[in-house]
Amino acid sequence: MSPGDSIALYLDDLHVGQRFTSATHAIDADEIKAFAREFDPQPFHLDEQAAKGTFFDGLAASGWHVAALTMKLLVGGGAPFAGGVIGAGGEFSWPKPTRPGDVLQVTSEVLEITPSRSRPDRGMVTLRSETRNQHGDVVQVLTAKLVVPKREELPSP
Amino acid sequence: MSPGDSIALYLDDLHVGQRFTSATHAIDADEIKAFAREFDPQPFHLDEQAAKGTFFDGLAASGWHVAALTMKLLVGGGAPFAGGVIGAGGEFSWPKPTRPGDVLQVTSEVLEITPSRSRPDRGMVTLRSETRNQHGDVVQVLTAKLVVPKREELPSP
Protein backbone atom coordinates (compact mmCIF):
# COMPACT_ATOMS: atom_id res chain seq x y z
CA MET A 1 0.00 0.00 0.00
CA SER A 2 1.19 3.51 -0.76
CA PRO A 3 -0.10 6.85 0.39
CA GLY A 4 -2.89 8.06 -1.86
CA ASP A 5 -4.38 4.67 -2.56
CA SER A 6 -8.02 4.99 -1.66
CA ILE A 7 -9.36 1.59 -0.81
CA ALA A 8 -11.16 0.09 2.15
CA LEU A 9 -10.04 -3.33 3.29
CA TYR A 10 -12.32 -5.76 5.10
CA LEU A 11 -11.19 -8.47 7.49
CA ASP A 12 -11.43 -10.92 4.57
CA ASP A 13 -8.88 -8.87 2.62
CA LEU A 14 -6.18 -8.90 5.31
CA HIS A 15 -3.34 -11.33 5.95
CA VAL A 16 -0.65 -11.57 8.60
CA GLY A 17 2.47 -9.76 7.44
CA GLN A 18 0.54 -7.29 5.27
CA ARG A 19 2.14 -3.85 5.40
CA PHE A 20 0.98 -0.28 4.91
CA THR A 21 2.78 3.03 4.66
CA SER A 22 1.21 6.36 5.56
CA ALA A 23 1.63 9.83 4.14
CA THR A 24 3.95 12.16 6.10
CA HIS A 25 3.40 14.95 8.61
CA ALA A 26 5.98 17.67 9.30
CA ILE A 27 5.73 18.92 12.88
CA ASP A 28 6.84 22.41 13.88
CA ALA A 29 7.52 24.17 17.18
CA ASP A 30 4.23 26.11 17.15
CA GLU A 31 2.20 22.89 16.83
CA ILE A 32 4.21 21.24 19.62
CA LYS A 33 3.58 24.18 21.96
CA ALA A 34 -0.12 24.52 21.07
CA PHE A 35 -0.78 20.84 21.80
CA ALA A 36 1.20 21.08 25.03
CA ARG A 37 -0.69 24.17 26.22
CA GLU A 38 -3.95 22.29 25.83
CA PHE A 39 -3.01 18.79 27.03
CA ASP A 40 0.52 18.49 28.40
CA PRO A 41 1.73 21.83 29.79
CA GLN A 42 5.22 20.85 30.92
CA PRO A 43 8.28 23.08 30.35
CA PHE A 44 10.01 20.67 27.93
CA HIS A 45 6.95 20.76 25.62
CA LEU A 46 6.20 24.49 25.94
CA ASP A 47 9.34 26.55 25.54
CA GLU A 48 12.81 26.11 24.01
CA GLN A 49 14.63 27.91 26.82
CA ALA A 50 12.75 26.19 29.63
CA ALA A 51 13.39 22.83 27.95
CA LYS A 52 17.16 23.17 28.25
CA GLY A 53 18.64 21.05 31.00
CA THR A 54 15.44 18.99 31.41
CA PHE A 55 15.09 15.25 30.75
CA PHE A 56 14.59 16.05 27.04
CA ASP A 57 17.30 18.74 26.91
CA GLY A 58 15.43 20.76 24.29
CA LEU A 59 11.89 21.23 23.04
CA ALA A 60 10.17 17.88 22.39
CA ALA A 61 6.61 16.99 21.38
CA SER A 62 4.31 15.43 23.96
CA GLY A 63 4.16 11.68 23.43
CA TRP A 64 0.38 12.02 23.19
CA HIS A 65 0.87 14.51 20.36
CA VAL A 66 2.96 11.91 18.53
CA ALA A 67 0.22 9.36 19.21
CA ALA A 68 -2.47 11.73 17.88
CA LEU A 69 -0.44 12.51 14.74
CA THR A 70 0.14 8.80 14.22
CA MET A 71 -3.64 8.35 14.33
CA LYS A 72 -4.06 11.17 11.79
CA LEU A 73 -1.65 9.36 9.46
CA LEU A 74 -3.37 5.99 10.00
CA VAL A 75 -6.84 7.47 9.38
CA GLY A 76 -5.51 9.32 6.31
CA GLY A 77 -4.64 6.11 4.49
CA GLY A 78 -1.98 4.46 6.66
CA ALA A 79 -4.48 1.83 7.85
CA PRO A 80 -7.07 1.61 5.05
CA PHE A 81 -9.66 -0.49 6.82
CA ALA A 82 -13.36 -0.54 6.02
CA GLY A 83 -15.33 1.03 8.84
CA GLY A 84 -12.38 3.21 9.85
CA VAL A 85 -9.63 2.84 12.42
CA ILE A 86 -11.34 1.75 15.63
CA GLY A 87 -9.01 0.85 18.48
CA ALA A 88 -9.91 -1.11 21.60
CA GLY A 89 -6.53 -0.85 23.27
CA GLY A 90 -2.90 -1.75 22.91
CA GLU A 91 0.68 -0.97 23.88
CA PHE A 92 2.92 1.95 23.09
CA SER A 93 6.45 3.16 23.62
CA TRP A 94 8.33 6.33 22.76
CA PRO A 95 11.96 5.28 22.22
CA LYS A 96 13.11 8.77 21.13
CA PRO A 97 11.78 12.30 21.44
CA THR A 98 10.07 14.05 18.52
CA ARG A 99 11.62 17.44 17.75
CA PRO A 100 10.48 20.56 15.87
CA GLY A 101 11.11 20.04 12.15
CA ASP A 102 10.72 16.27 12.29
CA VAL A 103 8.82 14.69 9.41
CA LEU A 104 6.78 11.74 10.69
CA GLN A 105 5.66 8.70 8.72
CA VAL A 106 3.98 5.50 9.90
CA THR A 107 4.64 2.00 8.63
CA SER A 108 2.30 -0.70 9.88
CA GLU A 109 2.19 -4.47 9.78
CA VAL A 110 -0.67 -6.87 10.47
CA LEU A 111 0.48 -9.18 13.30
CA GLU A 112 -2.68 -11.14 14.02
CA ILE A 113 -6.23 -11.55 12.73
CA THR A 114 -8.90 -12.98 15.04
CA PRO A 115 -12.47 -13.34 13.81
CA SER A 116 -14.98 -12.57 16.57
CA ARG A 117 -16.78 -15.58 17.99
CA SER A 118 -19.73 -13.59 19.32
CA ARG A 119 -20.03 -11.16 16.38
CA PRO A 120 -19.65 -12.95 13.04
CA ASP A 121 -19.69 -9.62 11.15
CA ARG A 122 -16.30 -8.49 12.47
CA GLY A 123 -12.92 -9.41 13.89
CA MET A 124 -9.94 -8.04 15.76
CA VAL A 125 -6.73 -7.12 13.97
CA THR A 126 -3.48 -6.55 15.86
CA LEU A 127 -1.55 -3.88 14.00
CA ARG A 128 2.01 -2.83 14.86
CA SER A 129 2.67 0.75 13.74
CA GLU A 130 6.12 2.30 13.83
CA THR A 131 6.29 6.08 13.59
CA ARG A 132 9.64 7.23 12.22
CA ASN A 133 11.24 10.62 11.71
CA GLN A 134 13.09 11.75 8.57
CA HIS A 135 16.31 10.14 9.86
CA GLY A 136 14.63 6.75 10.13
CA ASP A 137 14.62 6.84 13.94
CA VAL A 138 11.58 5.17 15.49
CA VAL A 139 9.88 7.73 17.75
CA GLN A 140 6.82 5.63 18.62
CA VAL A 141 5.85 1.99 18.46
CA LEU A 142 2.14 1.32 18.80
CA THR A 143 0.69 -2.19 18.83
CA ALA A 144 -3.06 -1.77 18.77
CA LYS A 145 -6.08 -4.04 18.61
CA LEU A 146 -8.48 -2.75 15.97
CA VAL A 147 -12.05 -3.73 15.17
CA VAL A 148 -12.43 -4.50 11.44
CA PRO A 149 -15.70 -5.51 9.77
CA LYS A 150 -16.13 -8.55 7.55
CA ARG A 151 -17.42 -8.06 4.05
CA GLU A 152 -21.20 -8.40 4.05
CA GLU A 153 -22.26 -11.70 2.57
CA LEU A 154 -25.08 -11.65 0.08
CA PRO A 155 -28.09 -13.61 1.29
CA SER A 156 -28.39 -17.05 -0.29
CA PRO A 157 -30.99 -17.21 -3.07
CA MET B 1 -3.70 13.03 47.44
CA SER B 2 -6.50 15.40 46.52
CA PRO B 3 -6.80 17.83 43.61
CA GLY B 4 -5.28 21.15 44.51
CA ASP B 5 -2.46 19.78 46.64
CA SER B 6 0.67 21.25 45.18
CA ILE B 7 3.56 19.00 46.02
CA ALA B 8 6.23 17.26 44.03
CA LEU B 9 7.02 13.70 44.98
CA TYR B 10 10.41 12.12 44.37
CA LEU B 11 11.03 8.39 43.89
CA ASP B 12 11.99 8.24 47.59
CA ASP B 13 8.52 9.52 48.55
CA LEU B 14 6.56 6.85 46.67
CA HIS B 15 5.32 3.44 47.75
CA VAL B 16 3.46 0.65 45.99
CA GLY B 17 -0.28 1.09 46.50
CA GLN B 18 -0.06 4.88 46.79
CA ARG B 19 -3.06 6.53 45.14
CA PHE B 20 -3.78 9.88 43.57
CA THR B 21 -6.96 11.56 42.36
CA SER B 22 -7.02 14.24 39.67
CA ALA B 23 -9.21 17.26 39.15
CA THR B 24 -12.06 16.86 36.62
CA HIS B 25 -12.54 17.84 32.98
CA ALA B 26 -15.98 18.24 31.38
CA ILE B 27 -15.84 17.42 27.66
CA ASP B 28 -18.30 18.90 25.18
CA ALA B 29 -19.27 18.17 21.58
CA ASP B 30 -17.31 21.12 20.15
CA GLU B 31 -14.08 19.91 21.77
CA ILE B 32 -14.66 16.36 20.54
CA LYS B 33 -15.17 17.58 16.97
CA ALA B 34 -12.22 20.01 17.04
CA PHE B 35 -9.80 17.31 18.21
CA ALA B 36 -11.20 14.90 15.62
CA ARG B 37 -10.85 17.40 12.76
CA GLU B 38 -7.17 17.77 13.59
CA PHE B 39 -6.19 14.20 14.50
CA ASP B 40 -8.93 11.63 13.98
CA PRO B 41 -11.36 12.75 11.27
CA GLN B 42 -13.78 9.82 11.30
CA PRO B 43 -17.58 10.28 11.09
CA PHE B 44 -18.30 8.98 14.61
CA HIS B 45 -15.98 11.66 16.10
CA LEU B 46 -17.05 14.54 13.81
CA ASP B 47 -20.80 14.74 13.53
CA GLU B 48 -23.82 13.57 15.54
CA GLN B 49 -25.88 12.59 12.49
CA ALA B 50 -23.05 10.79 10.72
CA ALA B 51 -22.25 8.93 13.95
CA LYS B 52 -25.67 7.25 14.05
CA GLY B 53 -25.56 3.62 13.01
CA THR B 54 -21.76 3.43 13.26
CA PHE B 55 -19.79 1.25 15.69
CA PHE B 56 -20.25 3.94 18.37
CA ASP B 57 -23.89 4.70 17.46
CA GLY B 58 -23.57 8.36 18.38
CA LEU B 59 -20.88 11.00 18.73
CA ALA B 60 -17.90 9.73 20.74
CA ALA B 61 -14.51 11.27 21.56
CA SER B 62 -11.41 9.92 19.85
CA GLY B 63 -9.60 7.56 22.20
CA TRP B 64 -6.50 9.70 21.69
CA HIS B 65 -8.49 12.71 22.87
CA VAL B 66 -9.35 10.80 26.06
CA ALA B 67 -5.66 9.90 26.42
CA ALA B 68 -4.61 13.53 25.94
CA LEU B 69 -7.20 14.75 28.49
CA THR B 70 -6.03 12.08 30.93
CA MET B 71 -2.50 13.48 30.53
CA LYS B 72 -3.83 16.99 31.17
CA LEU B 73 -5.40 15.76 34.41
CA LEU B 74 -2.24 13.86 35.44
CA VAL B 75 0.00 16.88 34.73
CA GLY B 76 -2.46 19.14 36.57
CA GLY B 77 -1.95 17.34 39.87
CA GLY B 78 -3.20 13.80 39.27
CA ALA B 79 0.39 12.49 39.24
CA PRO B 80 2.35 14.97 41.37
CA PHE B 81 5.85 13.77 40.57
CA ALA B 82 8.98 15.89 40.78
CA GLY B 83 10.35 16.50 37.31
CA GLY B 84 6.90 16.16 35.75
CA VAL B 85 5.03 13.31 34.14
CA ILE B 86 7.49 11.68 31.73
CA GLY B 87 6.28 8.48 30.11
CA ALA B 88 8.41 5.92 28.34
CA GLY B 89 5.59 3.65 27.26
CA GLY B 90 2.79 1.48 28.53
CA GLU B 91 -0.56 -0.14 27.82
CA PHE B 92 -3.99 1.31 27.31
CA SER B 93 -7.57 0.26 26.73
CA TRP B 94 -10.81 2.09 26.11
CA PRO B 95 -13.56 -0.09 27.60
CA LYS B 96 -16.35 2.44 26.91
CA PRO B 97 -16.81 5.44 24.64
CA THR B 98 -16.54 9.00 25.98
CA ARG B 99 -19.59 11.12 25.11
CA PRO B 100 -20.33 14.85 24.95
CA GLY B 101 -21.16 16.08 28.45
CA ASP B 102 -19.01 13.48 30.21
CA VAL B 103 -17.02 14.70 33.20
CA LEU B 104 -13.69 12.88 33.34
CA GLN B 105 -11.55 12.23 36.40
CA VAL B 106 -8.43 10.10 36.80
CA THR B 107 -7.53 7.93 39.76
CA SER B 108 -4.04 6.45 39.75
CA GLU B 109 -2.19 3.83 41.75
CA VAL B 110 1.53 3.10 41.99
CA LEU B 111 1.99 -0.54 40.94
CA GLU B 112 5.78 -0.84 40.88
CA ILE B 113 8.88 1.20 41.71
CA THR B 114 12.19 0.25 40.11
CA PRO B 115 15.32 2.29 40.85
CA SER B 116 17.51 2.62 37.77
CA ARG B 117 20.70 0.56 37.85
CA SER B 118 22.52 2.69 35.29
CA ARG B 119 21.24 6.09 36.51
CA PRO B 120 21.29 6.33 40.32
CA ASP B 121 19.49 9.70 40.20
CA ARG B 122 16.19 8.26 38.98
CA GLY B 123 13.87 5.30 38.71
CA MET B 124 10.89 3.92 36.82
CA VAL B 125 7.41 3.98 38.31
CA THR B 126 4.58 1.90 36.88
CA LEU B 127 1.37 3.85 37.35
CA ARG B 128 -2.10 2.52 36.58
CA SER B 129 -4.52 5.34 35.79
CA GLU B 130 -8.24 4.79 35.40
CA THR B 131 -10.19 7.55 33.70
CA ARG B 132 -13.85 7.51 34.74
CA ASN B 133 -16.90 9.47 33.67
CA GLN B 134 -19.48 11.02 36.01
CA HIS B 135 -21.35 7.69 36.20
CA GLY B 136 -18.27 5.89 37.46
CA ASP B 137 -17.76 4.02 34.18
CA VAL B 138 -14.11 3.43 33.30
CA VAL B 139 -13.52 4.92 29.83
CA GLN B 140 -9.74 4.42 29.74
CA VAL B 141 -7.21 2.32 31.60
CA LEU B 142 -3.61 3.42 31.14
CA THR B 143 -0.70 1.57 32.71
CA ALA B 144 2.37 3.66 32.02
CA LYS B 145 6.04 3.52 32.90
CA LEU B 146 7.16 6.93 34.15
CA VAL B 147 10.62 8.31 34.82
CA VAL B 148 10.79 9.84 38.33
CA PRO B 149 13.89 11.49 39.82
CA LYS B 150 15.36 10.65 43.19
CA ARG B 151 15.76 13.39 45.75
CA GLU B 152 19.21 14.93 45.39
CA GLU B 153 21.48 13.82 48.18
CA LEU B 154 23.53 16.44 49.91
CA PRO B 155 27.25 15.82 49.55
CA SER B 156 28.82 14.24 52.64
CA PRO B 157 30.67 16.71 54.84
Side-chain angles (χ1 to χ4, degrees):
Chain A
M1 293 297 306
S2 304
D5 289 356
S6 179
I7 55 159
L9 301 176
Y10 289 85
L11 198 72
D12 324 60
D13 303 320
L14 300 176
H15 61 266
V16 170
Q18 200 164 356
R19 296 177 70 91
F20 310 100
T21 301
S22 79
T24 58
H25 180 95
I27 189 170
D28 65 26
D30 286 348
E31 263 179 284
I32 288 176
K33 295 173 191 176
F35 187 97
R37 276 193 298 273
E38 191 169 359
F39 298 115
D40 192 350
Q42 303 193 83
F44 35 76
H45 302 319
L46 287 169
D47 182 86
E48 285 85 351
Q49 287 306 315
K52 288 188 182 166
T54 66
F55 180 82
F56 293 104
D57 203 17
L59 192 70
S62 169
W64 301 109
H65 193 184
V66 179
L69 288 171
T70 297
M71 187 61 176
K72 172 192 160 90
L73 292 169
L74 291 173
V75 167
F81 301 149
V85 184
I86 300 177
E91 292 174 28
F92 64 97
S93 65
W94 297 307
K96 286 207 163 208
T98 294
R99 304 290 189 181
D102 277 1
V103 180
L104 303 180
Q105 186 169 37
V106 185
T107 54
S108 298
E109 181 176 357
V110 174
L111 295 189
E112 200 176 345
I113 303 170
T114 312
S116 171
R117 271 181 282 189
S118 57
R119 299 288 302 259
D121 62 340
R122 64 183 65 163
M124 200 68 95
V125 171
T126 304
L127 190 74
R128 178 185 164 95
S129 298
E130 294 185 343
T131 306
R132 282 190 174 74
N133 63 23
Q134 71 279 16
H135 308 298
D137 301 324
V138 176
V139 295
Q140 179 181 282
V141 182
L142 171 68
T143 305
K145 290 191 184 300
L146 304 174
V147 180
V148 178
K150 277 195 185 170
R151 204 177 285 282
E152 273 184 66
E153 287 178 30
L154 294 172
S156 310
Chain B
M1 292 298 305
S2 304
D5 289 356
S6 178
I7 56 161
L9 301 176
Y10 289 86
L11 198 71
D12 323 61
D13 304 320
L14 300 177
H15 61 264
V16 170
Q18 200 164 355
R19 296 176 71 90
F20 310 100
T21 302
S22 79
T24 58
H25 179 95
I27 190 171
D28 66 25
D30 286 347
E31 264 179 282
I32 288 175
K33 295 173 190 176
F35 186 97
R37 278 193 298 272
E38 191 168 358
F39 298 114
D40 192 351
Q42 303 192 84
F44 33 77
H45 301 320
L46 287 168
D47 183 86
E48 285 86 352
Q49 287 306 313
K52 288 188 184 169
T54 65
F55 179 81
F56 292 103
D57 203 16
L59 192 70
S62 169
W64 300 109
H65 193 184
V66 178
L69 288 171
T70 296
M71 187 62 177
K72 172 193 162 88
L73 291 169
L74 291 174
V75 168
F81 300 149
V85 184
I86 300 177
E91 292 175 29
F92 63 96
S93 65
W94 296 306
K96 286 206 163 209
T98 293
R99 304 290 188 181
D102 278 1
V103 180
L104 303 180
Q105 186 169 35
V106 185
T107 54
S108 299
E109 181 177 356
V110 174
L111 295 189
E112 199 176 344
I113 302 171
T114 312
S116 170
R117 270 180 282 190
S118 57
R119 299 289 302 259
D121 62 339
R122 65 181 66 164
M124 200 67 98
V125 171
T126 305
L127 191 74
R128 178 186 164 94
S129 298
E130 295 186 342
T131 307
R132 283 190 172 74
N133 63 23
Q134 69 280 18
H135 308 298
D137 302 324
V138 176
V139 296
Q140 179 182 281
V141 181
L142 171 68
T143 304
K145 291 191 183 299
L146 304 174
V147 180
V148 178
K150 278 195 185 170
R151 203 179 286 280
E152 274 184 66
E153 287 179 31
L154 295 173
S156 310

